[in-house]
Amino acid sequence: MLRAAGVGLGDEVVVSAFGNVEVAQAVAMAGALPVFADIDPVTYCLDPVAVEAAVTPRTAAVVVVHRFGRPADVARLHGVGRRHGLLVLEEAEPEVPYGEVAQRRERAAYLDGRLRGVRTPDGGDGHTYQQYVVRVPGNGRPDRDAFARAVRARGVEAWVPVKTPVHRMPEFRRCVSLPETERAADETLALPVDAALTKRDLQRVVGACNALGGLLQPAF
């Protein structure tokens, strides 16, 4: 799509560093330079304000990726594109069948109402919960990683959705300030909300997390 639009050598393309290294790779393969902008801490998608701040005379396009089933603020991002004459491309997530989305939302609502000690996701704007991503507050220790190990030890599947932001990878290493991206990479943890989960499974998730939540409060 980038090549078809004439994006290539000498151009810059604004992308997120929070996962999706394949997007940065595609930009590089087109001959352009990926430029990283920060994310919105609620949606984990590109922050329109950060995108606009990253625009230079060489910027040709923005690639928007929707994250975890929560859509990016496409209207504002297209507004940035119109103001600066930029191509705005969207990388969609795989679709989840409607019936499964309803079940995921039901399970997410159950967790929202019972989890303690972690920050639950904001469910606005049609969230489909392809991943149920919580925040484990940090207080100067690797709390998220310790929390994940402890939860797994209690028989609950948990995984880090983005282990290394793209701008930290050797191939794309940049000296750039992306505080929300860094914070999200350090704090986020995905918990299961699959349609196959039973109520007992969900109770196990809640019990495992809440047994730890009181130990991992942020420092003031």
Side-chain angles (χ1 to χ4, degrees):
M1 292 175 70
L2 290 166
R3 286 173 174 161
V7 175
L9 190 63
D11 291 328
E12 295 177 349
V13 179
V14 180
V15 299
S16 171
F18 189 63
N20 299 103
V21 65
E22 68 275 7
V23 174
Q25 290 169 337
V27 171
M29 287 176 64
L33 178 71
V35 173
F36 300 112
D38 213 354
I39 59 170
D40 181 296
V42 174
T43 66
Y44 302 106
C45 305
L46 279 174
D47 178 358
V49 174
V51 168
E52 192 145 29
V55 172
T56 75
R58 297 175 63 183
T59 307
V62 179
V63 179
V64 183
V65 180
H66 305 291
R67 298 293 295 166
F68 309 141
R70 176 73 185 265
D73 192 340
V74 175
R76 289 179 63 198
L77 288 164
H78 276 287
V80 174
R82 286 191 296 272
R83 283 192 294 277
H84 297 277
L86 308 176
L87 177 69
V88 178
L89 299 175
E90 294 181 50
E91 176 80 6
E93 293 183 298
E95 289 191 12
V96 179
Y98 178 77
E100 185 174 336
V101 169
Q103 291 175 312
R104 285 173 176 265
R105 287 174 174 160
E106 180 181 328
R107 285 155 177 75
Y110 180 93
L111 295 179
D112 286 346
R114 291 166 176 79
L115 287 174
R116 302 289 181 269
V118 298
R119 192 184 318 156
T120 57
D122 185 305
D125 294 338
H127 204 319
T128 60
Y129 295 100
Q130 294 201 11
Q131 294 191 59
Y132 183 88
V133 177
V134 301
R135 297 270 194 142
V136 180
N139 60 5
R141 298 181 289 113
D143 287 342
R144 188 273 314 278
D145 295 339
F147 190 97
R149 287 193 296 271
V151 167
R152 292 189 199 111
R154 288 166 169 78
V156 172
E157 182 183 8
W159 62 98
V160 175
V162 175
K163 294 182 179 179
T164 306
V166 182
H167 72 292
R168 289 188 199 164
M169 296 179 178
E171 183 182 359
F172 296 105
R173 192 173 297 279
R174 302 280 193 280
C175 183
V176 58
S177 176
L178 303 173
E180 295 299 344
T181 298
E182 297 277 357
R183 193 172 296 115
D186 290 343
E187 294 182 353
T188 51
L189 185 69
L191 299 173
V193 286
D194 299 351
L197 290 175
T198 65
K199 187 171 183 180
R200 179 172 293 180
D201 293 330
L202 292 170
Q203 290 171 340
R204 185 181 299 114
V205 172
V206 171
C209 291
N210 288 0
L212 303 166
L215 303 176
L216 300 172
Q217 295 300 317
F220 295 98

